[in-house]
Amino acid sequence: MKQKELAKKYGITPMQIGKIRKKVCNDEDYCTKTKELSNFGVSKIENYFKEKDDAIIQPQFVRVQALSPTPNPLFWFCKLLEKPVRKVRVSIPHTHKEAIRPQLIFKAQVINKNDENFYRHEIIYRREFQREQRLKEIR
């Protein structure tokens, strides 16, 4: 298979496929005369993309420090404790409204949507994940 065909499949340039090929494939996986990848080389590159996709799926958490409540009781202004340090708005579950107080440090999940970061308390993610697991068991 040509690198160009593989690049179209994954939506990247053939040059980027070439860089990935050099990382993950051996000399036997690429024929320099015909400029084609062997089936084994193609499978190595596909495995590389599967691993990369799994890494993207993993949730990202940051530490934040509660500063003050917002007019909406389900959100708090918090300070990111990781660089860049800035003031962000974090969604809080209704069961934790009374437990959150100024200066409290907790984890928040970062959700990137349309190149904008949103933050929510980690317990919201855990509940959602547990719900998905229960639904899988039922199905």
Side-chain angles (χ1 to χ4, degrees):
M1 178 183 273
K2 293 272 189 188
Q3 288 182 180
K4 187 175 184 180
E5 296 168 14
L6 202 56
K8 282 184 183 177
K9 180 178 176 182
Y10 290 107
I12 59 175
T13 65
M15 291 178 72
Q16 290 171 322
I17 290 286
K19 289 179 183 178
I20 294 168
R21 175 185 53 84
K22 288 180 182 177
K23 280 186 204 173
V24 299
C25 295
N26 301 329
D27 293 335
E28 301 101 30
D29 297 331
Y30 183 69
C31 179
T32 55
K33 286 185 180 181
T34 61
K35 307 239 188 240
E36 289 196 13
L37 287 162
S38 67
N39 291 336
F40 194 62
V42 171
S43 66
K44 284 183 180 179
I45 292 173
E46 287 174 347
N47 286 339
Y48 173 83
F49 278 107
K50 285 180 187 172
E51 291 170 7
K52 186 178 175 187
D53 288 345
D54 290 344
I56 291 171
I57 292 171
Q58 296 297 324
Q60 180 186 1
F61 291 98
V62 293
R63 289 179 22 159
V64 295
Q65 181 179 20
L67 297 175
S68 62
T70 64
N72 183 343
L74 296 179
F75 288 92
W76 270 71
F77 287 120
C78 297
K79 177 174 78 172
L80 276 178
L81 296 178
E82 298 176 6
K83 295 196 177 186
V85 176
R86 64 180 186 275
K87 188 176 178 180
V88 295
R89 198 174 73 142
V90 179
S91 173
I92 306 294
H94 71 285
T95 56
H96 284 60
K97 281 192 298 188
E98 291 80 25
I100 302 295
R101 63 187 187 287
Q103 307 303 318
L104 178 71
I105 295 173
F106 60 93
K107 281 185 179 178
Q109 181 188 10
V110 180
I111 302 169
N112 191 315
K113 186 174 182 182
N114 298 334
D115 296 330
E116 187 176 349
N117 287 337
F118 296 94
Y119 301 88
R120 66 181 183 178
H121 196 282
E122 76 169 323
I123 196 72
I124 298 173
Y125 167 75
R126 273 202 231 140
R127 287 179 183 162
E128 183 179 314
F129 183 76
Q130 289 169 354
R131 180 177 175 270
E132 290 294 324
Q133 294 300 320
R134 287 193 307 267
L135 287 175
K136 283 180 184 177
E137 290 174 6
I138 293 170
R139 293 178 193 160

